Amino acid sequence: MNLLPQKILDQLAANGQANFARIQAGEDTIDHPPVVKLFTPDGGATWLLSETEPDDPDIAFGLCDLGLGFPELGSVRISVLLAHRGRLGLPIERDLHFQADAPLSVYAERARDAGGILA
C-alpha cells in the first residue's frame, strides 16, 4: 500500500497553497479538515495531516499525537514518517476509512480534552 497516494499529496499541497496565498494577502488562514489519518499499528501514535508547505512538500502540518497524552498541532517531515518503524518493526499505516467531519482545530480540541486523538 502506498502510504500517501498522489491524490492525497495533491490535496495537502492545495491546502498549503491556499493558506500561503491567504497569508500573503494578509488574511486569516483556513482551518482545513484533515486530509489523511496516519497511525502506528504497533503503538499509540496518530497524525491527522491537513496541508504541506508550498516551498517544502516534505513538511506537513497537522495534529500530532505520539501516544503520550499530549497531542499538539505542529509540523512533521513526511520522509521521517515513511522511514519510521514501530517497536515491532511495523511501518506507519494510513487509515483507509478515515473521513474528516470537522476542521483540524475541532480535532485538536477533542484530542486535548481526551488526552489523545479520537478520530
Side-chain angles (χ1 to χ4, degrees):
M1 175 184 73
N2 184 2
L3 185 63
L4 295 173
Q6 193 61 48
K7 181 179 177 181
I8 289 174
L9 292 172
D10 290 347
Q11 185 61 56
L12 291 168
N15 289 353
Q17 286 287 354
N19 273 338
F20 179 76
R22 291 182 68 87
I23 290 168
Q24 294 298 324
E27 300 172 1
D28 290 337
T29 58
I30 300 166
D31 185 10
H32 292 287
V35 174
V36 64
K37 176 184 176 183
L38 305 175
F39 65 96
T40 53
D42 56 354
T46 305
W47 298 265
L48 297 179
L49 305 179
S50 64
E51 62 192 81
T52 53
E53 291 288 327
D55 59 344
D56 188 350
D58 188 40
I59 298 177
F61 178 78
L63 181 60
C64 306
D65 178 4
L66 299 180
L68 303 174
F70 302 100
E72 63 183 13
L73 293 168
S75 297
V76 63
R77 285 210 171 267
I78 293 172
S79 57
V80 170
L81 295 179
L82 292 172
H84 179 75
R85 297 293 179 267
R87 58 179 187 256
L88 298 178
L90 299 174
I92 290 173
E93 294 184 16
R94 174 171 40 100
D95 183 339
L96 300 176
H97 304 287
F98 175 74
Q99 297 238 335
D101 63 3
L104 192 61
S105 64
V106 172
Y107 284 96
E109 185 176 331
R110 291 176 189 163
R112 281 191 288 273
D113 290 344
I117 295 175
L118 302 175

